[in-house]
Each structure stands twice: as C-alpha cells, then as structure tokens.
C-alpha cells in the first residue's frame, strides 16, 4: 500500500508500506487530527474579530475613574514629604535603605526604644495624613 506525503514546498512523496504499518500511520494521523481539533475548536483570534469590525474596548467611565487618581505609592511619598526632615530621614533609612532599628539608634546616639517610639509616632502621623 502507498502512503502519500505532501510537503509545504509542494513536493509530493509516495512511500510503499505494508498493510499493518499503513493501519498504524492512518490511526496516528487520526489521533493527531483529533487532538488538534480538540485543542483549537473553541479558540478564535481577537485580531480577526477586530478585522471583522468587532471591537472589545470597554467604554465605562467608572473604569477610567479607578485609574484617574494618584497611586498609593504617590500618596505615600506625598505624605512622607509632609513629615519633618528628621522623621523623613528615619523613614528613609529604616524602611527604604534597610537600616535596622538598633543600628539607626546607635548612629543617632539614643536607645532602640526611643527609635521604636518615634517610629510609632511617625506611623500614626502618616495614617492621619493618608486618611
């Protein structure tokens, strides 16, 4: 029995095989087709739909309002700017530069407890500023 292969280049090749091998190849081709069909039967291209005139843009003004205001990071930076310079330096060192409370206390020449209390005060002030 002959099996015909058609290549992308347009070339055609025929191979002579036995009935048993032909049955196996036909079965494998059928399984491959079924698997491809199962994987792609519910897929469709959004680019193709746009080409056909369908647009998936959302025109809800409420959605745009979610992104209109300042981000949390911007609000936090603005609130930190309202602190006095010493508090800003402490926040920057401990939270942004990774300096430990003990190291910062030693550098400032005060106890670790004093820095912890200052941090609590600053956190309360930031909560009030952030609303």
């Amino acid at each position: 029995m002959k099996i015909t292969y058609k290549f992308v280049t347009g070339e055609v090749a025929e191979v002579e095989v036995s009935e048993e091998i032909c049955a196996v190849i036909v079965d494998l081709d059928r399984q491959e087709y079924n698997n491809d069909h199962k994987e792609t039967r519910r897929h469709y291209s959004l680019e193709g739909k746009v080409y056909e005139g369908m647009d998936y843009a959302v025109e809800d003004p409420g959605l745009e309002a979610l992104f209109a205001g300042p981000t949390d990071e911007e609000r936090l930076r603005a609130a930190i700017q309202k602190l006095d310079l010493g508090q800003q330096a402490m926040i920057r060192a401990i939270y942004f530069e990774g300096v430990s409370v003990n190291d910062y206390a030693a550098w400032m020449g005060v106890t670790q407890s004093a820095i912890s209390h200052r941090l609590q005060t600053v956190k309360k002030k930031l909560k009030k500023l952030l609303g």
Side-chain angles (χ1 to χ4, degrees), residues 17-31:
V17 294
S18 67
E19 292 287 329
E20 296 168 354
I21 292 184
C22 183
V24 170
I25 290 174
V26 167
D27 187 49
L28 289 174
D29 285 345
R30 183 186 48 77
Q31 288 177 10

Side-chain angles (χ1 to χ4, degrees), residues 60-73:
D60 181 9
L63 185 63
E64 188 175 317
L66 289 174
F67 300 103
T71 63
D72 290 342
E73 182 180 348

Side-chain angles (χ1 to χ4, degrees), residues 74-117:
E74 293 168 341
R75 290 181 57 229
L76 179 60
R77 289 193 185 279
I80 290 173
Q81 291 297 319
K82 294 179 182 176
L83 300 173
D84 65 48
L85 293 178
Q87 291 173 332
Q88 288 180 26
M90 181 176 61
I91 291 293
R92 189 179 318 106
I94 293 173
Y95 290 107
F96 294 108
E97 297 172 3
V99 176
S100 72
V101 174
N102 288 333
D103 291 343
Y104 190 78
W107 183 67
M108 294 297 292
V110 296
T111 65
Q112 180 267 338
S113 178
I115 297 299
S116 293
H117 284 104

Side-chain angles (χ1 to χ4, degrees), residues 5-6 10 16-17 25 42 48 54 57 64-67 72 85 88 91 93 119 121-123 128-129:
Y5 290 101
K6 295 179 184 174
E16 186 73 32
V17 294
I25 290 174
R42 291 188 181 96
M54 299 177 86
E64 188 175 317
L66 289 174
F67 300 103
D72 290 342
L85 293 178
Q88 288 180 26
I91 291 293
L119 279 174
T121 303
V122 169
K123 287 178 188 178
K128 188 182 279 187
L129 289 170

